[in-house]
Amino acid sequence: MEKQVYNPYLPLGTCIPDGEPHVFGDRLYVYGSHDQEGGSSFCVLDYECWSTPVDDLTSWRCEGTIYRAEQDPDYGTMDKVMYAPDVVRGTDGRYYLYYAMAGGKRFTGPIHVAVCDTPAGKYEYYGSVRTPDGKEMEKYITFDPGILNDNGRIWLYYGWALSTPPEEIPDPEERMRLQTQVFGKTREELTAQPECYMGANAVVLADDMLTILNEPVRIVPGPWEAVGTSFEGHAFFEASSMRKVRDTYYFIYSSQHSHELCYAVSKYPDRDFVYGGTIISNGDIGYQGRAPEDRLATTGNNHGSIVEIKGQWYIFYHRQTHKTIFSRQGCAEPIQILPDGSILQVEMTSCGLNGGPLEAQGEYPAPICCNLTNSRMPQQGLEPITVSLPHVTNCRECRYIAEIDSGTVIGYKYFRFDGKHRLNLRLRGEAEGTIYAVAGEIELGCIPVSPSADWREAAISFDVQGVHPLYFRFEGTGQLDIERFAFEKTI
């Protein structure tokens, strides 16, 4: 069997969310935040880069730690966190890493910049984005920078917004109080400009990659300004990212629902953007009309962007694990940009970058599931989930799906079946009942489940042809864990 790649595309113990994919030379690089398995807060204090040849999306390698928070001279002045970065090749041929640092619930300080001669070498602190008079640029909310080299013109995009729709906070005084509390700004600072403080913004940088050449302008509104526009219901929340496709600018962002990555389009880099649609949701909400209450996984914040690799476009995004939003893992899916410029929403799959379905041969880790639901999956907030819920987790080097209860469905899209197989599951737990295995609409068999404190094997045999999603559904009492499953071709 040829080497394959599945979602998440990095090793299961690696948590690189907020992935910004870029092709530099003959390699695809992904720059993102750096979470931890079972983490209790966003983003450890460094950036780790991964890359793979554009000719082989299965051969990911870790480029190591490319930058640390302690290299920033502002580190240590307050409780800092390093949020989602982006990287661009400057007009001088060097590579510039843009990032924001924040502490607590406040979004304060400028956008910081580091530089390196290579895409994934050791970056060195370079400076902060500044106004022409040398002051740090802090207009609006300097968060989640995205950067674009548009034929030698460098565009910086950034911003943030409260996801709460305006009708939920009708009182102006309550709105002001909330903003001063969340952003750490005074009333005078918040009212110093005519626009709402929240939304996505654009500004041009000088050749020094630090100095802004114009006042930042609003390109996509947050929920409080989106009423009556094409963005109403899918307004900007965070995760600014810009791509240019031929003569059209695509602004990729996380909407007010947070679980979805949306896009807006314009013929200009800094104005006239209109809402395009949703590209992906990390619970498949909206895909083929799926309602939020029918989400196919726990949903949570999302962040990523699109990239073209050898003629094929992909969306990079992340999913939640460990019943928290502090252990996010990167995933990717192929997408199509249609002749009219639109992008249809795609579903989460297990085979993402593989170029086709996974082969029903060999062993697979259970946590590569793209669907994991007991029909009661929540939207994940800042507080970890404490109630019992099926989820991906780990115990040291063992990664598995835990707390599988009656009615839980675990889905893998897609596998190519080619005849007679034996399917082995490795499971444990106090559960008693039956696991029903299905390939699409085809019943594969039933696996009896009985209590076992240790991992044990259980198997079924079947004969199926074609490409199908693989589902496991448990019915019974108690809970079980599944670590992996394996296909064995039989005669």
Side-chain angles (χ1 to χ4, degrees), residues 125-145:
Y125 180 79
Y126 180 62
S128 58
V129 176
R130 297 179 176 274
T131 60
D133 61 2
K135 296 180 181 179
E136 292 181 333
M137 192 277 290
E138 295 185 345
K139 188 173 183 179
Y140 304 124
I141 305 170
T142 48
F143 189 69
D144 276 1

Side-chain angles (χ1 to χ4, degrees), residues 11-30:
L12 281 174
T14 301
C15 298
I16 305 293
D18 308 327
E20 279 283 353
H22 292 285
V23 173
F24 295 128
D26 61 358
R27 296 189 71 83
L28 167 67
Y29 296 84
V30 172

Side-chain angles (χ1 to χ4, degrees), residues 78-219:
M78 63 180 293
D79 179 25
K80 295 286 186 178
V81 174
M82 295 178 76
Y83 287 119
D86 197 8
V87 169
V88 70
R89 192 179 188 207
T91 55
D92 60 358
R94 296 196 295 172
Y95 297 85
Y96 293 84
L97 182 151
Y98 290 74
Y99 63 99
M101 299 180 75
K105 294 184 178 180
R106 298 191 174 197
F107 298 86
T108 57
I111 292 170
H112 303 245
V113 189
V115 66
C116 186
D117 291 333
T118 60
K122 301 300 181 183
Y123 282 76
E124 299 295 336
Y125 180 79
Y126 180 62
S128 58
V129 176
R130 297 179 176 274
T131 60
D133 61 2
K135 296 180 181 179
E136 292 181 333
M137 192 277 290
E138 295 185 345
K139 188 173 183 179
Y140 304 124
I141 305 170
T142 48
F143 189 69
D144 276 1
I147 194 81
L148 174 71
N149 186 333
D150 185 14
N151 295 319
R153 198 176 197 194
I154 308 299
W155 287 94
L156 173 66
Y157 300 88
Y158 68 96
W160 196 81
L162 289 165
S163 57
T164 310
E167 61 268 20
E168 293 187 17
I169 313 176
D171 180 39
E173 280 301 314
E174 177 61 20
R175 292 188 189 186
M176 181 61 67
R177 186 199 64 78
L178 182 60
Q179 290 182 86
T180 57
Q181 178 185 25
V182 172
F183 304 138
K185 305 291 184 181
T186 66
R187 178 184 293 264
E188 290 72 24
E189 288 173 316
L190 290 170
T191 56
Q193 67 259 339
E195 305 94 348
C196 177
Y197 213 70
M198 298 175 288
N201 315 289
V203 67
V204 179
L205 297 180
D207 288 341
D208 66 3
M209 307 297 283
L210 296 176
T211 306
I212 66 172
L213 296 179
N214 62 296
E215 281 293 303
V217 294
R218 178 65 41 81
I219 63 167

